[in-house]
């Protein structure tokens, strides 16, 4: 939030009608200013740094990628920008990815206008806001499964890969992990690819869920 108390918001949605509706909803509020819009991931990545929003409202599914990828990139370059994911689908995988990418919130497009305004204000104030129904499902998945067989896979990881896996579990981006371990971001990317391969996983979110499950089993 700026000194004048106004929240600067950037909108990313490939549907113009949705974007216009959200724009009009936000623009009539005295404390909110819409500073930019985009219909593709590429446009958003080009415009967000230039417009310096406090909150980026990002559609998850885009023609040229995902709002989650935009969130991850924006958060790694501009940590002060809070990301609020907006989607039509309650998708557990997307929620996992959004949490891993550093999103502050994840709401469905079926949300009421007043609730979206509250969500934008809460996220701007630094609060985490994740759809309770979807989050409950994710937590249920984290508690399920997992056994000795999965722990065996850890034996194949090097000490450095174990350290990086723990940091992924804490929600750190490759850049943040690199800064913590004094390694180049590209080097961390290679480590992450290697450890995912050894664990038989394709996504960072799966690794994060795995770490959370192991921690839950310890307690």
């Amino acid at each position: 939030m700026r000194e004048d108390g106004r929240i600067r918001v950037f909108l990313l949605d490939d549907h113009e009608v949705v974007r216009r509706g959200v724009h009009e909803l936000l623009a009539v509020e005295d404390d909110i200013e819409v500073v930019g819009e985009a219909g593709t991931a590429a446009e958003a990545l080009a415009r967000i740094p230039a417009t310096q929003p406090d909150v980026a409202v990002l559609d998850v599914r885009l023609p040229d990628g995902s709002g989650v990828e935009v969130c991850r990139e924006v958060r790694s370059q501009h940590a002060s920008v809070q990301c609020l994911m907006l989607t039509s689908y309650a998708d557990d995988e997307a929620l996992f990815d959004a949490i891993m990418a550093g999103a502050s919130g994840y709401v469905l497009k079926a949300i009421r206008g007043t609730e979206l305004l509250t969500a934008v204000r809460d996220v701007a104030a630094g609060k985490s806001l994740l759809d309770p129904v979807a989050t409950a499902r994710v937590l249920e998945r984290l508690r399920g499964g997992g056994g000795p067989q999965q722990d065996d896979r850890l034996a194949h990881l090097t000490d450095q890969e174990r350290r990086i896996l723990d940091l992924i579990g804490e929600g750190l981006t490759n850049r943040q992990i690199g800064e913590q371990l004094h390694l180049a971001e590209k080097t961390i990317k290679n480590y992450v690819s290697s450890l995912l391969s050894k664990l038989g996983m394709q996504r960072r979110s799966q690794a994060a869920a795995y770490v959370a499950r192991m921690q839950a089993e310890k307690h």
Side-chain angles (χ1 to χ4, degrees), residues 37-113:
E37 294 183 25
T40 65
E43 281 177 10
L45 288 172
R47 292 178 187 169
I48 287 174
T51 53
Q52 298 185 321
D54 300 303
V55 178
V57 179
L58 309 173
D59 188 12
V60 170
R61 300 190 182 194
L62 298 164
D64 63 336
S66 159
V68 172
E69 291 160 16
V70 173
C71 173
R72 184 176 294 115
E73 187 66 27
V74 168
R75 293 285 299 158
S76 69
Q77 306 281 348
H78 311 278
S80 63
V81 180
Q82 307 298 327
C83 295
L84 179 63
M85 311 310 297
L86 188 61
T87 181
S88 310
Y89 313 93
D91 176 349
D92 286 357
E93 282 303 324
L95 176 57
F96 266 127
D97 290 349
I99 292 169
M100 287 311 300
S104 300
Y106 184 102
V107 292
L108 300 179
K109 286 183 181 175
I111 192 170
R112 287 198 183 101

Side-chain angles (χ1 to χ4, degrees), residues 90-97 99 106 130-144 205 209 212-213:
D91 176 349
D92 286 357
E93 282 303 324
L95 176 57
F96 266 127
D97 290 349
I99 292 169
Y106 184 102
L130 291 160
D131 181 80
V133 177
T135 307
R137 274 206 311 278
V138 170
L139 292 174
E140 197 56 45
R141 268 179 56 181
L142 291 180
R143 292 190 195 105
S205 52
R213 186 160 57 230

